[in-house]
Amino acid sequence: MSSPTQYRFSFGPWNISEGADPFGPPVRDAFPHEEKFALYKPMGFDGVQFHDDDVVPGLESLSAGQIENKADEVATMLRNQGLEAEFVAPRMWFAAETVDGGYTSNCAADREMAWERTKRSVDIARILGSKAVVLWLAREGTYIREAKNARVAYERILELIDKVLDYDPEIEVWIEPKPNEPTDVAYVPTTGHAIALSRASRDHQRVKVIIESAHAMLAGLDASDEMAFALAHDKLGSVHLNDQNGLKYDQDKNFGSANLRSAFDQVLVLEEAGYGGNGEFIGLDVKAMRTQPGLPVLDHLKNTREYFELLLDKVRSYDLTKVEAFRDDRDYEGLERYTLRHLLGCT
Ligand code: XLS
Ligand code: MG
């Protein structure tokens, strides 16, 4: 029997102490960005997920050389802390030019700006030794469907992916699908859309997906099935584990906090496929509750990591021989009882 996967965990600095929300006063101060990295290892995290401007703040007004110097500094800091950069994502949704999307904007100058910014993210990823850029296509969609030509928009996204693959012969592109928010309707809402784009690209082995549990749920889909679909295509670059209580705003709740059984199913799918065996991270995208004071606020990250480990114990003690027997008898009532009793700790 092969030895059990030693999972490694990652999260992005945006998961720590962002104290403001759109509907009330800040409940906690922002924690200084550069001090966040020292918090990773003591909490049991080995990977940092980055936006390009988490690495190089204010990069839009810096020269390529200045960006490189700052990225070099961060690379040294990561080495000193024993941390790995999991991915770098162009934060394409705050610039004035990308209000109506970057890659799919109707304006050629905006699309050019988006491409330039994406190249800088690839440069930064290369300097940090990260193998992937993540495209969370936040504003690549519309508020009214007539605003853009959807067929052309898909072509533009594919063209961009091909350009990234050409620009760097080693970089991987991981698409993070999400069906809505900030746009009303997004062009790449599901894993299936992302994998279709991958297959249509000029080097599909370098185009994968990162699946966020809550994003799948917002699309009305089962997060574990989305992960299974990507794994079946050998295209699960990473995950953003979290939870979501129904079809609302993007909540980024603690993994398992809204639906423990769904969280169990996700861990089961990952473990069964040997995910993590090639160095893939268990990435978390969880936010502190809006009511939570403190500085820095970290318990949601520690707790979600712990919930993953506890669910992993449940997955590893789930009796697959029994499961098979229930399946053979098509006794799903019995299978559900076994599963729920197992989750509830009954022997
Ligand atoms: C949004 C995402 C985003 C990315 C990287 O849900 O988590 O922050 O992962 O752009
Ligand atoms: Mg995410």
Side-chain angles (χ1 to χ4, degrees):
M1 224 179 86
S2 57
S3 52
T5 308
Q6 293 294 318
Y7 288 100
R8 299 189 307 154
F9 298 84
S10 66
F11 67 87
W14 63 88
N15 286 292
I16 297 179
S17 278
E18 303 298 338
D21 71 64
F23 309 106
V27 286
R28 46 187 183 269
D29 291 332
F31 186 71
H33 176 72
E34 3 16 282
E35 290 173 32
K36 290 179 180 174
F37 304 107
L39 304 171
Y40 276 70
K41 278 282 185 182
M43 290 198 291
F45 290 82
D46 296 311
V48 185
Q49 308 165 354
F50 284 104
H51 289 121
D52 50 4
D53 56 1
D54 291 324
V55 186
V56 185
L59 84 169
E60 50 287 334
S61 47
L62 300 179
S63 69
Q66 287 170 315
I67 292 176
E68 205 171 295
N69 290 342
K70 179 65 194 172
D72 273 331
E73 247 175 58
V74 175
T76 308
M77 181 278 294
L78 289 175
R79 263 196 305 280
N80 292 341
Q81 303 267 5
L83 291 168
E84 203 174 298
E86 186 188 9
F87 64 71
V88 178
R91 201 191 309 251
M92 200 66 83
W93 49 96
F94 278 119
E97 296 89 337
T98 55
V99 163
D100 195 18
Y103 312 136
T104 64
S105 168
N106 290 325
C107 165
D110 294 349
R111 294 199 299 277
E112 188 51 31
M113 179 272 178
W115 165 230
E116 285 302 320
R117 174 106 186 212
T118 305
K119 277 196 278 187
R120 295 296 80 80
S121 291
V122 176
D123 297 342
I124 293 170
R126 195 188 294 131
I127 294 171
L128 297 193
S130 159
K131 68 195 261 210
V133 288
V134 161
L135 301 184
W136 172 44
L137 299 163
R139 302 181 88 97
E140 312 302 344
T142 60
Y143 299 89
I144 60 163
R145 253 298 160 256
E146 299 79 15
K148 294 178 191 168
N149 179 323
R151 186 181 47 75
V152 171
Y154 284 117
E155 284 167 11
R156 286 182 171 151
I157 293 171
L158 183 58
E159 199 179 301
L160 179 280
I161 292 169
D162 280 340
K163 272 163 52 169
V164 174
L165 296 172
D166 276 352
Y167 181 68
D168 184 314
E170 278 168 20
I171 201 78
E172 293 187 1
V173 176
W174 298 347
I175 302 169
E176 183 172 340
K178 186 178 179 188
N180 63 287
E181 201 196 31
T183 57
D184 180 19
V185 265
Y187 287 125
V188 187
T190 70
T191 307
H193 288 77
I195 290 182
L197 279 166
S198 161
R199 284 283 169 179
S201 74
R202 65 178 45 153
D203 186 359
H204 80 86
Q205 286 181 338
R206 290 196 285 138
V207 184
K208 301 180 179 166
V209 282
I210 165 169
I211 296 178
E212 175 159 332
S213 323
H215 294 181
M217 294 170 196
L218 285 168
L221 297 168
D222 182 279
S224 72
D225 280 352
E226 291 291 278
M227 291 173 191
F229 186 76
L231 287 161
H233 290 264
D234 199 15
K235 294 215 171 296
L236 191 57
S238 191
V239 290
H240 260 176
L241 299 186
N242 60 13
D243 213 344
Q244 175 73 27
N245 183 23
L247 299 179
K248 299 175 185 165
Y249 64 97
D250 185 354
Q251 296 182 306
D252 296 331
K253 287 164 97 71
N254 285 330
F255 186 52
S257 65
N259 189 337
L260 208 47
R261 186 177 179 181
S262 161
F264 169 78
D265 289 331
Q266 291 170 62
V267 180
L268 182 62
V269 161
L270 295 171
E271 168 81 354
E272 185 270 335
Y275 176 87
N278 294 318
E280 302 94 339
F281 279 96
I282 295 295
L284 311 183
D285 200 2
V286 290
K287 302 270 166 40
M289 293 180 212
R290 287 178 172 174
T291 45
Q292 187 64 47
L295 190 73
V297 173
L298 303 173
D299 284 349
H300 56 302
L301 292 157
K302 290 189 220 166
N303 294 346
T304 279
R305 191 189 178 296
E306 183 191 8
Y307 304 150
F308 179 90
E309 300 277 14
L310 291 170
L311 285 162
L312 186 60
D313 289 345
K314 285 288 169 193
V315 163
R316 288 183 174 164
S317 55
Y318 192 52
D319 188 339
L320 294 177
T321 313
K322 272 193 189 150
V323 172
E324 273 313 316
F326 284 123
R327 286 179 181 175
D328 288 346
D329 293 345
R330 214 209 282 160
D331 181 6
Y332 301 147
E333 194 63 53
L335 177 57
E336 178 160 87
R337 180 168 183 270
Y338 167 61
T339 305
L340 290 192
R341 285 177 57 85
H342 180 67
L343 287 176
L344 288 164
C346 311
T347 44

